[in-house]
Amino acid sequence: MSTQAELIELYTADLKEKCGVAEPDMELLTKVTKGLGPSIYNNDASKVSGSDQGELDLVKNNFLIKKLGLKDSPELDTAINSVLEKYGKSNKNKYRAVVYYLLTKHFKKESVYNK
């Protein structure tokens, strides 16, 4: 099993290589990763399936609405699709921490993790 630090290195590499983020905000990435708790160590729970509508609904309801405090709107679905497109539709391993990081940045909700 990987350590949290090793996983954060993996997420950083994905942000740089697959998502085109030149300088990831390491403090935010660390907070997002810690916020996911033990799920980051579960192979299935640590990833987001971009082709599973139920999974995408969970991202929207549990993360964007409950965690980030956003109102339900078509913009949320658009943002999720945009982030998944940026990550690469053909990339099967879309790490939840990376998707959540990108969504947090997209909506400029970094302050949620500064509490």
Side-chain angles (χ1 to χ4, degrees), residues 24-61:
D25 178 341
M26 294 308 296
E27 185 178 342
L28 177 62
L29 181 58
T30 300
K31 289 177 179 179
V32 169
T33 301
K34 286 181 179 178
L36 288 167
S39 69
I40 62 171
Y41 303 109
N42 178 298
N43 193 40
D44 187 44
S46 68
K47 297 179 182 125
V48 172
S49 172
S51 60
D52 179 353
Q53 189 57 49
E55 175 76 23
L56 300 179
D57 290 342
L58 284 174
V59 170
K60 180 167 88 170
N61 293 319

Side-chain angles (χ1 to χ4, degrees), residues 94-111:
K94 293 179 192 70
Y95 292 104
R96 188 171 305 278
V98 173
V99 171
Y100 285 12
Y101 170 92
L102 292 169
L103 287 167
T104 302
K105 286 292 213 180
H106 175 86
F107 287 107
K108 297 177 177 30
K109 287 292 208 171
E110 296 89 340
S111 62

Side-chain angles (χ1 to χ4, degrees), residues 66-77:
K66 289 180 183 172
K67 177 72 178 176
L68 297 186
L70 299 169
K71 299 279 185 244
D72 193 0
S73 73
E75 183 187 359
L76 301 185
D77 295 311

